[in-house]
Amino acid sequence: MNTNQVIVSILDNDFYKFTMQYAAIKQFPYAKASYIFINRGQHKYPPGFAEALRSAVDEMAKLKLTKAEKIFLEKTCPYLDPTYLDFLQGYHYDPSEIEISQDGPDLEVHIKGYWYRSILWEVPLMSIICELYYKMTNSERDSSEKVIANTRNKIEKYKELGITIAEFGTRRRHSYAVHQLVVDTLKQYGDGSFIGTSNVHLAMKYNTKPIGTHAHEWFMFHAAKYGFKMANSMGLEHWVDTYRGDLGIALTDTYTSKVFFEQFDKKFAKLFDGVRHDSGDPLDFADQVIAHYKSLNIDPTQKTIIFSDGLNPEKVERIANHCKGRIGMSFGIGTDFTNDVGLDAMNIVIKMSQALPEGGYWTDVVKLSDEPKKHTGTPEMIELAQRLLEIPVSK
């Protein structure tokens, strides 16, 4: 099979990868990181999958930022300075940063290198794994007409709810072709509701806004450098130092939201426009956020929660009804848009596993989600983090 150009553009990636890359270059240019593929869904990969994946990864070395893409970033993202855009114009993927192996149906993928370089691999790699899996298992998706109709029905439902929606589905999309159909449909029929996509390439192609700020790895690295107790506060400080008020949505659940809000004091609560929900019960989270803002004498209706955890129309309606009139809200919907094609969606992640801060040593990193099943890291380091942060261990 021809695996050329599974990824068609260097911008075919989530926006927060570029915003974190820029921050890493400015704040931690000598840091290194490693990432590991986690097959949560226990998918069985067909013979030859590792070779096909390696071929697609090697092809990515040919990708370059085009002049038109650079101009798009200059106009759309003024907080990214010219030196970074010049760097990105000269950047290319280095496939030697990735190790891929396969033992029977089991796939292993490891990424390692300077953090500012290796940070871009995660999302396109997951996209390739998904697309190749469906192709090599001969899985037949719904027709394009059905995908379009399904997407249109969803965005019209969201318009009826009077809420704003962004598309967040790059990492676990069925394929690039389906992703294009989805964004094109949202753009055509989502006026007043659809506000953008996390995929920078498709934001440019369909003349919409690239959306995102930072991910768990931002705080995971800060734990490796400053310790678990300082990770949230130092991560927020360095984000503010880099963006000076732009990109003001903070991710809360790297070490549980309860621990996060203990450090999200009035300074940060006023500096950031809002927070993102990515695990745990969304209604409980909304109540927690509203109570936190009120405790700081901040009007919750002037702040926003971005909900982004496993959303579908029914879940979105329940959240919207719960939050209406109490706090601002928006929704980032991923797999339910880009992999709702009549097949089982893949359950895979790629997470930072170790970090090497300048002057430090390789340190295991963890994520302690509000949903314990989504914790990542070694059992020993998870236990250490829970003990230091006084997080009760779920039975």
Side-chain angles (χ1 to χ4, degrees):
M1 63 178 290
N2 179 11
T3 57
N4 292 345
Q5 294 232 325
V6 177
I7 301 298
V8 300
S9 164
I10 203 166
L11 295 187
D12 187 9
N13 205 332
D14 278 344
F15 186 48
Y16 68 16
K17 282 293 173 174
F18 297 104
T19 58
M20 287 190 298
Q21 181 185 53
Y22 173 60
I25 289 171
K26 289 182 76 78
Q27 303 286 348
F28 309 107
Y30 295 98
K32 294 183 178 181
S34 67
Y35 301 77
I36 189 169
F37 169 73
I38 303 171
N39 185 16
R40 281 181 179 161
Q42 301 298 303
H43 307 286
K44 305 300 182 184
Y45 294 89
F49 191 89
E51 289 80 4
L53 179 58
R54 168 52 67 185
S55 178
V57 165
D58 289 346
E59 283 293 314
M60 289 177 64
K62 301 174 183 177
L63 297 173
K64 294 283 188 180
L65 189 75
T66 67
K67 185 175 182 180
E69 288 171 335
K70 186 179 181 184
I71 291 171
F72 171 76
L73 291 175
E74 287 174 341
K75 291 181 177 178
T76 311
C77 314
Y79 37 78
L80 299 177
D81 65 35
T83 56
Y84 171 68
L85 298 183
D86 284 348
F87 158 80
L88 197 58
Q89 195 170 29
Y91 175 92
H92 66 86
Y93 283 103
D94 180 358
S96 71
E97 294 169 346
I98 299 191
E99 294 181 3
I100 302 168
S101 62
Q102 184 173 358
D103 182 8
D106 299 322
L107 179 69
E108 285 198 19
V109 182
H110 298 271
I111 308 165
K112 194 171 189 176
Y114 279 107
W115 189 27
Y116 76 87
R117 291 192 50 81
S118 58
I119 198 169
L120 290 190
W121 279 113
E122 174 196 348
V123 174
L125 257 180
M126 290 176 64
S127 300
I128 295 172
I129 290 170
C130 290
E131 185 153 351
L132 288 179
Y133 178 84
Y134 292 118
K135 284 182 179 177
M136 295 181 69
T137 55
N138 299 310
S139 303
E140 186 174 348
R141 68 170 173 86
D142 290 339
S143 68
S144 295
E145 292 76 16
K146 188 170 182 180
V147 172
I148 291 168
N150 196 19
T151 304
R152 180 177 178 179
N153 287 339
K154 289 176 184 176
I155 192 61
E156 289 179 345
K157 171 71 171 177
Y158 295 138
K159 286 172 71 173
E160 289 174 9
L161 291 174
I163 56 176
T164 56
I165 294 292
E167 182 278 309
F168 279 11
T170 304
R171 64 186 57 236
R172 283 181 284 265
R173 67 192 182 192
H174 171 273
S175 59
Y176 175 70
V178 166
H179 202 172
Q180 287 189 102
L181 289 174
V182 166
V183 176
D184 185 33
T185 305
L186 293 173
K187 179 71 174 178
Q188 284 190 57
Y189 300 105
D191 185 46
S193 183
F194 176 60
I195 57 172
T197 171
S198 64
N199 188 288
V200 187
H201 163 66
L202 294 177
M204 175 179 170
K205 184 170 184 176
Y206 293 100
N207 191 30
T208 189
K209 183 180 178 181
I211 293 181
T213 55
H214 50 244
H216 297 105
E217 70 179 283
W218 181 250
F219 298 98
M220 293 162 76
F221 172 83
H222 280 78
K225 184 168 178 64
Y226 301 104
F228 291 116
K229 289 190 174 184
M230 296 298 294
N232 284 321
S233 58
M234 293 303 296
L236 294 172
E237 287 282 4
H238 284 128
W239 197 255
V240 171
D241 287 346
T242 303
Y243 287 106
R244 317 301 296 178
D246 284 311
L247 303 180
I249 297 293
L251 181 60
T252 65
D253 70 333
T254 308
Y255 303 108
T256 74
S257 293
K258 180 179 182 297
V259 170
F260 177 88
F261 285 114
E262 288 169 359
Q263 297 179 324
F264 196 63
D265 61 11
K266 182 172 280 192
K267 170 187 170 181
F268 291 131
K270 287 198 168 187
L271 284 173
F272 282 84
D273 301 318
V275 296
R276 179 159 72 93
H277 170 263
D278 197 51
S279 64
D281 186 279
L283 306 190
D284 289 347
F285 179 83
D287 291 342
Q288 182 181 1
V289 174
I290 291 166
H292 184 71
Y293 280 128
K294 286 182 175 179
S295 74
L296 299 173
N297 292 316
I298 295 172
D299 182 359
T301 64
Q302 302 303 307
K303 297 294 182 177
T304 298
I305 301 175
I306 309 295
F307 293 94
S308 63
D309 180 33
L311 300 177
N312 56 42
E314 295 74 28
K315 191 173 180 180
V316 168
E317 182 172 12
R318 186 159 46 90
I319 296 169
N321 289 336
H322 186 76
C323 294
K324 187 176 182 181
R326 302 175 66 209
I327 192 165
M329 58 182 152
S330 189
F331 298 83
I333 299 175
T335 307
D336 192 59
F337 272 146
T338 61
N339 208 341
D340 183 14
V341 295
L343 302 168
D344 289 338
M346 298 192 74
N347 185 5
I348 58 175
V349 295
I350 293 176
K351 287 293 181 185
M352 181 186 281
S353 57
Q354 289 187 315
L356 174 61
E358 182 183 3
Y361 49 87
W362 282 106
T363 302
D364 291 338
V365 295
V366 302
K367 183 189 79 161
L368 303 181
S369 168
D370 289 337
E371 170 50 63
K373 292 180 181 178
K374 295 173 76 172
H375 289 355
T376 63
T378 65
E380 296 80 11
M381 193 61 81
I382 289 175
E383 190 276 332
L384 176 63
Q386 289 172 325
R387 184 155 43 85
L388 289 173
L389 296 172
E390 299 181 14
I391 298 171
V393 179
S394 297
K395 301 296 183 184

